[in-house]
Amino acid sequence: MTTKFIENTDRALIGIDKFHYAKLEKDTPAELTYGDMVEFPNTIELSVTTNAEVASLYADNKPAIVYTTMGNIELAMTKTVIPNEVLAEWLGSPMEGGVRHITSAQNSPYYGVAWRQLYSDGKYAYVKLYKGKFTEPDKTATTKEESIEFQTAEITAQFAATTHEVKGEVDGKERSFPLLMSIAEEDSPSYTDEGSTWFDAMYVKKP
């Protein structure tokens, strides 16, 4: 039997850019629509926690069945700054002139986000999360001292699966599944230039 060799492993992630977001307008079994894509530059760090779960069923004094499932995905993001107007969009905060009011009644709308990640070989990976809500960030600030210390902005969001389902192939069989997260890599043998249109829209239904 010939041993299969996995190629394109002599590389590592070295950067991120082109963070975009779009407001989720409708998520039904028949339709998934978003507002316009908005580019938000100057991303310092993105962290994605998948919250995957594993359960084991024991029989005959040993683990007989192992089952895995995906939970909500948590996105933690660090930006140079997050403008008040953007926070008002993401969090459903009322604005009064240039003042953003943080209220107990505000309810964050759903958003989709997208970005790309740079590998050391110059190729990119493209990522999307489809249905998430941002949470009000903590507020911290320190005094200015003799040496300069940059103070960045951090925010988190929780992403769930869409109600709308798409079709895809798993183990050679076509199946329907909700959207949670999508990734396209330029080094993948099945890559067909998806990156050229990745930021045109959050989701386009295929015919």
Side-chain angles (χ1 to χ4, degrees):
M1 181 180 293
T2 303
T3 301
K4 184 177 180 180
F5 181 78
I6 303 298
E7 300 181 357
N8 301 321
T9 60
D10 53 345
R11 60 188 186 130
L13 283 172
I14 61 172
I16 51 172
D17 67 354
K18 288 192 173 295
F19 180 84
H20 286 64
Y21 65 89
K23 187 176 182 179
L24 177 60
E25 295 181 339
K26 184 178 290 188
D27 176 24
T28 68
E31 190 174 358
L32 182 64
T33 59
Y34 293 84
D36 293 336
M37 295 285 274
V38 179
E39 184 171 1
F40 186 179
N42 294 321
T43 304
I44 297 171
E45 184 178 359
L46 281 172
S47 175
V48 175
T49 304
T50 57
N51 293 314
E53 294 186 9
V54 180
S56 298
L57 176 66
Y58 283 75
D60 291 337
N61 300 322
K62 65 181 185 298
I65 299 173
V66 177
Y67 187 81
T68 62
T69 185
M70 286 289 294
N72 286 356
I73 288 181
E74 180 177 315
L75 173 72
M77 178 170 59
T78 304
K79 308 284 288 187
T80 53
V81 69
I82 305 176
N84 230 11
E85 292 74 15
V86 174
L87 287 172
E89 286 183 58
W90 287 356
L91 302 170
S93 305
M95 291 289 293
E96 186 179 19
V99 179
R100 181 174 75 91
H101 296 292
I102 302 169
T103 76
S104 60
Q106 70 186 35
N107 183 26
S108 305
Y110 284 110
Y111 277 87
V113 300
W115 68 91
R116 69 177 184 178
Q117 302 177 162
L118 176 64
Y119 284 94
S120 56
D121 62 356
K123 300 293 182 63
Y124 286 97
Y126 301 87
V127 186
K128 282 182 179 176
L129 291 165
Y130 291 94
K131 185 180 181 179
K133 289 192 174 191
F134 290 93
T135 57
E136 185 70 43
D138 295 331
K139 310 292 189 291
T140 58
T142 58
T143 188
K144 180 182 176 182
E145 299 179 358
E146 291 183 0
S147 59
I148 296 174
E149 181 178 348
F150 292 107
Q151 299 175 51
T152 55
E154 299 179 359
I155 194 167
T156 61
Q158 294 285 339
F159 286 82
T162 61
T163 300
H164 184 74
E165 294 189 345
V166 299
K167 292 182 179 180
E169 190 174 292
V170 180
D171 293 333
K173 298 179 181 179
E174 187 176 74
R175 299 181 182 177
S176 296
F177 56 91
L179 289 169
L180 181 57
M181 182 177 182
S182 296
I183 303 172
E185 294 194 338
E186 289 183 341
D187 263 351
S188 172
S190 57
Y191 179 77
T192 56
D193 201 27
E194 287 89 351
S196 63
T197 58
W198 198 253
F199 304 106
D200 291 350
M202 184 59 60
Y203 172 72
V204 177
K205 188 174 183 177
K206 294 183 179 180

